[in-house]
Amino acid sequence: MKDFTHFNEEGRARMVDVSNKPDTTRTAVALSSITVNQDVYRQIQNNENKKGDVLGVAQVAGIMAAKKTWDIIPMCHPIPLKGIDISFRWKEAGEDHQLEITVSVKTKGSTGVEMEALTAASVTALTIYDMCKAVDKGMVIGPTQLLEKTGGVSSPDYKRLIEE
């Protein structure tokens, strides 16, 4: 089982030792979305939600989630993040509206930040759901996906091909 780096000699899960890996600049970009009805869309756009600024709160929640990823995903390393950016873009989805959530995360370290970007995108969408569920419990989250990653020496950069 030595070939599987997340398993120890006994075949049990372990956190990978990255102490010998060189520090490099690493980035990751993740995408998620939440589809909402017209009422939720209008409330968010006009800042009329009773719980406050939905996108502002969701953005802060996503940033906090990226910083705490190691706390909730068992094999993730604590990473000193150097930058986190979350942006939003509305798209029409039939009678509904889809909010795309794009998260960019950057560090200089010995392991990548894909999980931090994916966690931030997910928690951002979940926060929007939480703040708007009184208006519509039928909102749909996802898909959530890694769009790109750069940095590191052991694996090549990655870029997902997106069809528009």
Side-chain angles (χ1 to χ4, degrees):
M1 287 233 170
K2 220 169 177 119
D3 293 336
F4 299 104
T5 59
H6 281 87
F7 295 100
N8 67 14
E9 303 264 335
E10 298 169 350
R12 298 195 178 276
R14 71 177 176 116
M15 186 177 191
V16 175
D17 180 359
V18 296
S19 60
N20 290 327
K21 292 174 71 178
D23 284 355
T24 61
T25 299
R26 297 160 184 267
T27 65
V29 179
L31 175 72
S32 190
S33 65
I34 184 165
T35 303
V36 303
N37 68 19
Q38 183 66 33
D39 292 335
V40 171
Y41 170 76
R42 190 178 59 256
Q43 277 192 3
I44 292 172
Q45 285 294 91
N46 298 328
N47 201 19
E48 295 172 347
N49 186 281
K50 292 180 182 179
K51 293 185 178 182
D53 176 4
V54 173
L55 298 186
V57 172
Q59 196 163 25
V60 171
I63 290 168
M64 291 172 64
K67 292 166 52 175
K68 300 295 271 176
T69 299
W70 65 274
D71 233 359
I72 58 175
I73 307 290
M75 301 304 165
C76 284
H77 294 82
I79 297 176
L81 300 178
K82 306 299 183 188
I84 305 165
D85 187 30
I86 300 175
S87 61
F88 302 102
R89 181 173 73 125
W90 286 104
K91 294 171 66 177
E92 285 193 32
E95 293 180 16
D96 294 327
H97 297 272
Q98 183 182 58
L99 181 63
E100 287 188 344
I101 302 159
T102 304
V103 178
S104 301
V105 179
K106 186 175 186 177
T107 193
K108 185 167 187 176
S110 56
T111 190
V113 288
E114 299 95 89
M115 293 307 301
E116 287 72 14
L118 288 162
T119 299
S122 299
V123 169
T124 300
L126 287 167
T127 301
I128 293 166
Y129 187 98
D130 180 54
M131 292 186 73
C132 299
K133 67 186 178 213
V135 179
D136 177 28
K137 290 178 181 34
M139 294 173 282
V140 176
I141 294 173
T144 301
Q145 56 196 313
L146 182 67
L147 293 181
E148 63 185 73
K149 82 145 208 83
T150 65
V153 293
S154 62
S155 66
D157 291 350
Y158 170 81
K159 186 163 182 116
R160 179 181 297 275
L161 298 174
I162 301 286
E163 295 178 20
E164 289 276 341

